[in-house]
Amino acid sequence: MDKKFTILIVEDHTLLRHGLVDMILSDPTLEVIGEVDNGRDAIQQAKILMPDLILMDLNLPIMNGTEALSEIKRANPNMKVMVLTVHKADEYIRDTLKSGADGYMLKNATRDEFMLAVHTVLDGGNYLSEEIAANFNDISVNDSVADWEKLSNREREVLKLVAE
């Protein structure tokens, strides 16, 4: 069998963490190599385990997910991290994407969307929950006119296509 993609789960709710493990293990191409319940341990385990993907909650004890994400990306910019969260507010999305997240998945997503997101990020793409992607243009435009103006026409076109 081909190499399995390895995943580290960072989630402080035990029941949800175990549900994620079961869902991931139902896919023969995926393997869970670690589970932690706080941001500090996420940074440590990311360095030790070097997973192909980290699934990370934002609300974590000891160190929140955005801070942990920033540290992980600073140490290894190529490491894939997908955020799993309940937060739909623009500031969470902006902060998370600026910190280097490769995906932003709402916890109310379906199993099919979750698995699509995991494989999209593992295949080198970026993923935004359908609900977030529908509003992404508004988030980008309202973020700052100055930031929007820095984008080339082609970058704006690509951003609009991603949002659609």
Side-chain angles (χ1 to χ4, degrees), residues 31-68:
E31 177 183 9
V32 176
I33 58 169
E35 300 175 43
V36 296
D37 63 3
N38 67 76
R40 185 191 63 215
D41 289 349
I43 295 166
Q44 245 177 2
Q45 290 303 301
K47 289 176 186 173
I48 294 167
L49 299 173
M50 296 298 291
D52 295 311
L53 175 65
I54 298 173
L55 299 175
M56 183 179 302
D57 189 8
L58 290 180
N59 295 337
L60 296 168
I62 303 175
M63 175 186 276
N64 74 48
T66 305
E67 292 170 346

Short mmCIF file of all heavy atoms in Angstrom, two decimals, residues 31-68:
data_model
loop_
_atom_site.label_atom_id
_atom_site.label_comp_id
_atom_site.label_asym_id
_atom_site.label_seq_id
_atom_site.Cartn_x
_atom_site.Cartn_y
_atom_site.Cartn_z
N GLU A 31 -3.82 8.58 8.29
CA GLU A 31 -3.40 7.97 9.55
C GLU A 31 -3.24 9.06 10.61
O GLU A 31 -2.60 10.08 10.36
CB GLU A 31 -2.06 7.26 9.33
CG GLU A 31 -1.47 6.66 10.59
CD GLU A 31 -0.10 6.02 10.33
OE1 GLU A 31 0.47 6.18 9.23
OE2 GLU A 31 0.40 5.38 11.27
N VAL A 32 -3.83 8.86 11.77
CA VAL A 32 -3.66 9.79 12.89
C VAL A 32 -2.42 9.36 13.66
O VAL A 32 -2.34 8.24 14.15
CB VAL A 32 -4.90 9.79 13.82
CG1 VAL A 32 -4.67 10.69 15.02
CG2 VAL A 32 -6.14 10.23 13.06
N ILE A 33 -1.43 10.27 13.74
CA ILE A 33 -0.19 9.92 14.43
C ILE A 33 -0.05 10.62 15.78
O ILE A 33 0.91 10.36 16.50
CB ILE A 33 1.05 10.22 13.56
CG1 ILE A 33 1.12 11.69 13.17
CG2 ILE A 33 1.09 9.29 12.37
CD1 ILE A 33 2.44 12.09 12.54
N GLY A 34 -1.01 11.48 16.11
CA GLY A 34 -0.94 12.14 17.40
C GLY A 34 -2.19 12.93 17.70
O GLY A 34 -2.91 13.35 16.80
N GLU A 35 -2.43 13.11 19.00
CA GLU A 35 -3.57 13.89 19.49
C GLU A 35 -3.07 14.72 20.68
O GLU A 35 -2.42 14.17 21.57
CB GLU A 35 -4.69 12.99 20.00
CG GLU A 35 -5.28 12.04 19.00
CD GLU A 35 -6.28 11.11 19.67
OE1 GLU A 35 -7.10 11.59 20.50
OE2 GLU A 35 -6.24 9.90 19.39
N VAL A 36 -3.38 16.01 20.67
CA VAL A 36 -3.06 16.87 21.81
C VAL A 36 -4.25 17.77 22.08
O VAL A 36 -5.11 17.96 21.22
CB VAL A 36 -1.77 17.70 21.59
CG1 VAL A 36 -0.55 16.80 21.46
CG2 VAL A 36 -1.88 18.60 20.39
N ASP A 37 -4.27 18.35 23.30
CA ASP A 37 -5.43 19.15 23.69
C ASP A 37 -5.11 20.61 24.00
O ASP A 37 -5.93 21.31 24.57
CB ASP A 37 -6.14 18.50 24.88
CG ASP A 37 -5.26 18.43 26.11
OD1 ASP A 37 -4.12 18.92 26.09
OD2 ASP A 37 -5.74 17.87 27.12
N ASN A 38 -3.90 21.07 23.62
CA ASN A 38 -3.57 22.48 23.86
C ASN A 38 -2.54 22.96 22.83
O ASN A 38 -1.86 22.17 22.19
CB ASN A 38 -3.07 22.70 25.29
CG ASN A 38 -1.75 22.03 25.56
OD1 ASN A 38 -0.70 22.52 25.13
ND2 ASN A 38 -1.77 20.90 26.28
N GLY A 39 -2.43 24.27 22.70
CA GLY A 39 -1.56 24.87 21.70
C GLY A 39 -0.09 24.63 21.93
O GLY A 39 0.68 24.42 20.97
N ARG A 40 0.35 24.67 23.18
CA ARG A 40 1.77 24.45 23.47
C ARG A 40 2.22 23.05 23.05
O ARG A 40 3.25 22.88 22.40
CB ARG A 40 2.05 24.66 24.96
CG ARG A 40 3.54 24.56 25.30
CD ARG A 40 3.79 24.50 26.79
NE ARG A 40 3.18 23.27 27.30
CZ ARG A 40 2.59 23.15 28.49
NH1 ARG A 40 2.55 24.15 29.32
NH2 ARG A 40 2.06 22.01 28.87
N ASP A 41 1.41 22.04 23.39
CA ASP A 41 1.75 20.67 22.99
C ASP A 41 1.67 20.49 21.48
O ASP A 41 2.41 19.68 20.91
CB ASP A 41 0.82 19.67 23.69
CG ASP A 41 1.11 19.56 25.18
OD1 ASP A 41 2.15 20.08 25.65
OD2 ASP A 41 0.28 18.95 25.89
N ALA A 42 0.79 21.26 20.82
CA ALA A 42 0.69 21.19 19.36
C ALA A 42 2.02 21.58 18.72
O ALA A 42 2.49 20.91 17.79
CB ALA A 42 -0.43 22.10 18.86
N ILE A 43 2.63 22.65 19.21
CA ILE A 43 3.91 23.11 18.67
C ILE A 43 4.97 22.04 18.87
O ILE A 43 5.72 21.71 17.95
CB ILE A 43 4.33 24.44 19.34
CG1 ILE A 43 3.35 25.54 18.97
CG2 ILE A 43 5.75 24.82 18.95
CD1 ILE A 43 3.48 26.79 19.82
N GLN A 44 5.02 21.50 20.08
CA GLN A 44 6.00 20.45 20.40
C GLN A 44 5.83 19.22 19.51
O GLN A 44 6.79 18.72 18.93
CB GLN A 44 5.79 20.02 21.86
CG GLN A 44 6.91 20.32 22.77
CD GLN A 44 6.53 19.90 24.19
OE1 GLN A 44 5.47 19.34 24.48
NE2 GLN A 44 7.43 20.18 25.11
N GLN A 45 4.59 18.74 19.41
CA GLN A 45 4.34 17.52 18.64
C GLN A 45 4.50 17.73 17.15
O GLN A 45 4.90 16.81 16.43
CB GLN A 45 2.94 16.96 18.96
CG GLN A 45 2.83 16.38 20.36
CD GLN A 45 3.85 15.28 20.59
OE1 GLN A 45 3.90 14.27 19.88
NE2 GLN A 45 4.72 15.47 21.58
N ALA A 46 4.24 18.93 16.67
CA ALA A 46 4.45 19.23 15.25
C ALA A 46 5.93 19.07 14.91
O ALA A 46 6.27 18.51 13.86
CB ALA A 46 3.97 20.64 14.93
N LYS A 47 6.80 19.55 15.80
CA LYS A 47 8.25 19.42 15.57
C LYS A 47 8.71 17.97 15.65
O LYS A 47 9.56 17.55 14.86
CB LYS A 47 9.02 20.25 16.61
CG LYS A 47 8.89 21.73 16.42
CD LYS A 47 9.60 22.48 17.53
CE LYS A 47 9.36 23.98 17.42
NZ LYS A 47 9.90 24.73 18.56
N ILE A 48 8.17 17.23 16.59
CA ILE A 48 8.60 15.84 16.78
C ILE A 48 8.03 14.91 15.71
O ILE A 48 8.76 14.12 15.11
CB ILE A 48 8.17 15.34 18.19
CG1 ILE A 48 8.92 16.12 19.27
CG2 ILE A 48 8.39 13.84 18.33
CD1 ILE A 48 8.36 15.93 20.67
N LEU A 49 6.71 15.00 15.46
CA LEU A 49 6.03 14.05 14.58
C LEU A 49 6.11 14.43 13.09
O LEU A 49 6.00 13.55 12.24
CB LEU A 49 4.56 13.92 14.99
CG LEU A 49 4.31 13.40 16.40
CD1 LEU A 49 2.82 13.48 16.73
CD2 LEU A 49 4.83 11.98 16.55
N MET A 50 6.26 15.71 12.80
CA MET A 50 6.29 16.21 11.42
C MET A 50 5.13 15.64 10.58
O MET A 50 5.33 14.99 9.55
CB MET A 50 7.63 15.89 10.76
CG MET A 50 8.82 16.59 11.41
SD MET A 50 8.72 18.40 11.32
CE MET A 50 8.95 18.67 9.58
N PRO A 51 3.89 15.89 11.01
CA PRO A 51 2.74 15.34 10.28
C PRO A 51 2.57 16.02 8.92
O PRO A 51 3.05 17.14 8.70
CB PRO A 51 1.56 15.67 11.20
CG PRO A 51 2.00 16.92 11.90
CD PRO A 51 3.48 16.74 12.13
N ASP A 52 1.85 15.35 8.04
CA ASP A 52 1.52 15.94 6.75
C ASP A 52 0.46 17.03 6.92
O ASP A 52 0.41 17.98 6.13
CB ASP A 52 0.98 14.87 5.79
CG ASP A 52 2.04 13.84 5.45
OD1 ASP A 52 3.17 14.24 5.09
OD2 ASP A 52 1.74 12.63 5.54
N LEU A 53 -0.38 16.89 7.95
CA LEU A 53 -1.45 17.85 8.19
C LEU A 53 -1.73 17.94 9.69
O LEU A 53 -1.73 16.93 10.38
CB LEU A 53 -2.74 17.41 7.47
CG LEU A 53 -4.00 18.22 7.71
CD1 LEU A 53 -3.86 19.65 7.16
CD2 LEU A 53 -5.21 17.54 7.07
N ILE A 54 -1.98 19.17 10.14
CA ILE A 54 -2.43 19.40 11.51
C ILE A 54 -3.86 19.93 11.44
O ILE A 54 -4.13 20.89 10.71
CB ILE A 54 -1.53 20.42 12.24
CG1 ILE A 54 -0.11 19.90 12.34
CG2 ILE A 54 -2.10 20.72 13.64
CD1 ILE A 54 0.88 20.92 12.89
N LEU A 55 -4.76 19.29 12.16
CA LEU A 55 -6.13 19.78 12.30
C LEU A 55 -6.19 20.46 13.66
O LEU A 55 -5.96 19.82 14.68
CB LEU A 55 -7.13 18.62 12.24
CG LEU A 55 -7.14 17.82 10.94
CD1 LEU A 55 -8.09 16.64 11.07
CD2 LEU A 55 -7.53 18.71 9.77
N MET A 56 -6.49 21.77 13.68
CA MET A 56 -6.35 22.54 14.92
C MET A 56 -7.58 23.39 15.23
O MET A 56 -8.04 24.16 14.39
CB MET A 56 -5.12 23.43 14.83
CG MET A 56 -4.86 24.21 16.10
SD MET A 56 -3.38 25.25 16.01
CE MET A 56 -2.13 24.07 15.64
N ASP A 57 -8.06 23.26 16.45
CA ASP A 57 -9.10 24.13 16.97
C ASP A 57 -8.47 25.49 17.27
O ASP A 57 -7.25 25.60 17.45
CB ASP A 57 -9.66 23.51 18.26
CG ASP A 57 -10.90 24.21 18.79
OD1 ASP A 57 -11.44 25.10 18.11
OD2 ASP A 57 -11.33 23.86 19.90
N LEU A 58 -9.28 26.55 17.34
CA LEU A 58 -8.76 27.86 17.72
C LEU A 58 -8.83 28.09 19.21
O LEU A 58 -7.95 28.71 19.80
CB LEU A 58 -9.53 28.98 16.99
CG LEU A 58 -9.29 29.10 15.50
CD1 LEU A 58 -10.12 30.24 14.92
CD2 LEU A 58 -7.83 29.30 15.19
N ASN A 59 -9.89 27.60 19.85
CA ASN A 59 -10.06 27.78 21.30
C ASN A 59 -9.37 26.64 22.03
O ASN A 59 -9.93 25.56 22.16
CB ASN A 59 -11.54 27.81 21.68
CG ASN A 59 -12.26 28.99 21.11
OD1 ASN A 59 -11.65 30.00 20.79
ND2 ASN A 59 -13.57 28.87 20.96
N LEU A 60 -8.16 26.92 22.48
CA LEU A 60 -7.38 25.90 23.16
C LEU A 60 -6.83 26.44 24.47
O LEU A 60 -6.54 27.63 24.57
CB LEU A 60 -6.19 25.46 22.28
CG LEU A 60 -6.52 24.78 20.96
CD1 LEU A 60 -5.28 24.68 20.09
CD2 LEU A 60 -7.10 23.39 21.21
N PRO A 61 -6.66 25.57 25.46
CA PRO A 61 -6.03 26.02 26.71
C PRO A 61 -4.52 26.20 26.53
O PRO A 61 -3.94 25.73 25.56
CB PRO A 61 -6.33 24.87 27.68
CG PRO A 61 -6.60 23.68 26.83
CD PRO A 61 -7.11 24.19 25.52
N ILE A 62 -3.92 26.89 27.46
CA ILE A 62 -2.48 27.17 27.56
C ILE A 62 -2.02 28.14 26.47
O ILE A 62 -1.45 29.16 26.76
CB ILE A 62 -1.61 25.89 27.60
CG1 ILE A 62 -2.04 25.01 28.77
CG2 ILE A 62 -0.13 26.24 27.68
CD1 ILE A 62 -1.35 23.68 28.86
N MET A 63 -2.27 27.82 25.20
CA MET A 63 -1.96 28.72 24.09
C MET A 63 -3.04 28.53 23.03
O MET A 63 -3.33 27.39 22.65
CB MET A 63 -0.59 28.39 23.51
CG MET A 63 -0.24 29.20 22.28
SD MET A 63 1.30 28.68 21.50
CE MET A 63 2.47 29.60 22.48
N ASN A 64 -3.64 29.62 22.57
CA ASN A 64 -4.73 29.47 21.60
C ASN A 64 -4.23 29.00 20.24
O ASN A 64 -3.03 29.03 19.95
CB ASN A 64 -5.58 30.75 21.50
CG ASN A 64 -4.89 31.88 20.76
OD1 ASN A 64 -4.34 31.69 19.68
ND2 ASN A 64 -4.92 33.06 21.34
N GLY A 65 -5.16 28.56 19.41
CA GLY A 65 -4.82 27.98 18.13
C GLY A 65 -4.12 28.92 17.17
O GLY A 65 -3.23 28.51 16.43
N THR A 66 -4.52 30.19 17.17
CA THR A 66 -3.89 31.15 16.26
C THR A 66 -2.42 31.36 16.62
O THR A 66 -1.55 31.40 15.74
CB THR A 66 -4.65 32.50 16.27
OG1 THR A 66 -6.03 32.25 15.97
CG2 THR A 66 -4.09 33.45 15.23
N GLU A 67 -2.13 31.48 17.91
CA GLU A 67 -0.73 31.63 18.34
C GLU A 67 0.07 30.38 18.02
O GLU A 67 1.20 30.46 17.52
CB GLU A 67 -0.67 31.91 19.85
CG GLU A 67 -1.22 33.26 20.25
CD GLU A 67 -1.36 33.41 21.76
OE1 GLU A 67 -1.29 32.40 22.49
OE2 GLU A 67 -1.56 34.55 22.20
N ALA A 68 -0.50 29.21 18.28
CA ALA A 68 0.19 27.95 17.98
C ALA A 68 0.42 27.82 16.48
O ALA A 68 1.51 27.42 16.04
CB ALA A 68 -0.62 26.77 18.51
#
